[in-house]
């Protein structure tokens, strides 16, 4: 299957994300990449803030999101959910960075995108697969994870205000990197 057919097939698939659509802060970047004959976006997230209940094994299968937002959060909502929690598992406040998976027509195209991504600040990036079409993973570095409950409340309300503010700064920092990458790719075309 040539890349054009592969891309058309991939982009025609339904969006299986919980949101059912591409996050607004990363939509223009995805559209720009998909307008290029050499790239096809496979998955994306513009970054998010979550309050997760996790099992002791800390595996994805054992998690439940009490709060998940791709927008800045408020300390009030995080504090309210944390304070009201009556479960037995650990709770983590997490601010996650943007992530993007892109198929490239050739290894050269994948390397070019990887270089542009790293220059834009997506430092934890690489080529995941060298199959028929290389897959590039672009990940930024804005991560924050704070335990807030483990058999008892571990934080005070003032601390919630501090780390939610920091998490929101990280989300917005990730959005700036998305925009830098979009402009860099747009100027490169």
């Amino acid at each position: 299957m040539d890349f054009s057919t592969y891309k058309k097939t991939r982009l025609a698939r339904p969006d299986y994300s919980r949101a059912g659509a591409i996050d607004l802060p990363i939509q223009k970047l995805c559209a720009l990449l998909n307008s290029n004959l050499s790239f096809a976006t496979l998955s994306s997230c513009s970054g998010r803030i979550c309050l997760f209940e996790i099992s002791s094994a800390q595996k994805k299968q054992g998690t439940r999101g009490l709060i998940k937002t791709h927008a800045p959060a408020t300390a009030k909502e995080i504090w309210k959910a944390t304070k009201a929690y009556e479960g037995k598992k650990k709770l983590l406040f997490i601010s996650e960075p943007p992530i993007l998976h892109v198929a490239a027509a050739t290894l050269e195209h994948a390397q070019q995108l990887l270089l542009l991504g790293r220059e834009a600040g997506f430092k934890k990036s690489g080529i995941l697969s060298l199959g028929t079409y290389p897959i590039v993973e672009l990940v930024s570095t804005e991560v924050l994870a704070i335990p807030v409950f483990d058999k008892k409340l571990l934080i005070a309300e003032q601390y919630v205000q501090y780390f939610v503010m920091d998490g929101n700064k990280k989300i917005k920092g990730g959005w700036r990197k998305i925009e830098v990458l979009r402009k860099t790719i747009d100027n490169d075309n």
Side-chain angles (χ1 to χ4, degrees):
M1 173 183 321
D2 69 344
F3 188 75
S4 175
T5 304
Y6 169 80
K7 177 177 179 169
K8 199 177 292 182
T9 303
R10 288 297 303 211
L11 296 179
R13 289 181 180 181
D15 185 333
Y16 293 112
S17 67
R18 288 192 177 125
I22 298 171
D23 302 342
L24 187 60
I26 206 166
Q27 281 180 358
K28 287 181 181 177
L29 174 58
C30 289
L32 179 62
L33 286 165
N34 290 327
S35 72
N36 186 307
L37 298 176
S38 301
F39 299 112
T41 58
L42 305 177
S43 66
S44 66
C45 176
S46 64
R48 64 184 184 172
I49 290 182
C50 310
L51 189 61
F52 274 129
E53 177 187 68
I54 59 169
S55 67
S56 57
Q58 295 189 14
K59 293 185 179 173
K60 192 172 185 177
Q61 299 90 341
T63 66
R64 180 174 69 98
L66 278 65
I67 293 175
K68 284 191 240 177
T69 179
H70 292 89
T74 66
K76 185 177 180 179
E77 71 182 317
I78 299 296
W79 177 244
K80 183 178 176 184
T82 303
K83 205 170 157 194
Y85 181 68
E86 294 181 346
K88 303 290 184 214
K89 297 180 180 180
K90 294 178 185 179
L91 278 186
L92 282 181
F93 170 87
I94 303 174
S95 177
E96 297 179 321
I99 184 169
L100 184 64
H101 294 98
V102 182
T106 66
L107 180 57
E108 184 180 323
H109 288 106
Q111 290 170 326
Q112 181 183 30
L113 179 59
L114 180 59
L115 178 64
L116 293 174
R118 286 190 175 151
E119 287 174 0
F122 289 80
K123 305 268 184 235
K124 292 185 174 183
S125 299
I127 297 174
L128 292 182
S129 168
L130 292 173
T132 307
Y133 301 111
I135 308 296
V136 178
E137 180 181 65
L138 300 174
V139 185
S140 192
T141 56
E142 294 82 10
V143 178
L144 179 66
I146 298 174
V148 296
F149 184 94
D150 187 3
K151 299 180 185 137
K152 64 179 181 175
L153 192 60
L154 301 174
I155 55 168
E157 188 172 6
Q158 297 85 346
Y159 188 50
V160 172
Q161 293 170 0
Y162 173 79
F163 67 70
V164 169
M165 183 177 67
D166 194 38
N168 287 339
K169 283 181 188 174
K170 290 182 182 301
I171 290 289
K172 291 173 184 175
W175 294 349
R176 282 190 292 279
K177 289 179 184 178
I178 290 168
E179 188 58 17
V180 167
L181 179 58
R182 186 193 65 76
K183 286 179 179 176
T184 302
I185 292 170
D186 202 20
N187 292 337
D188 204 47
N189 285 335

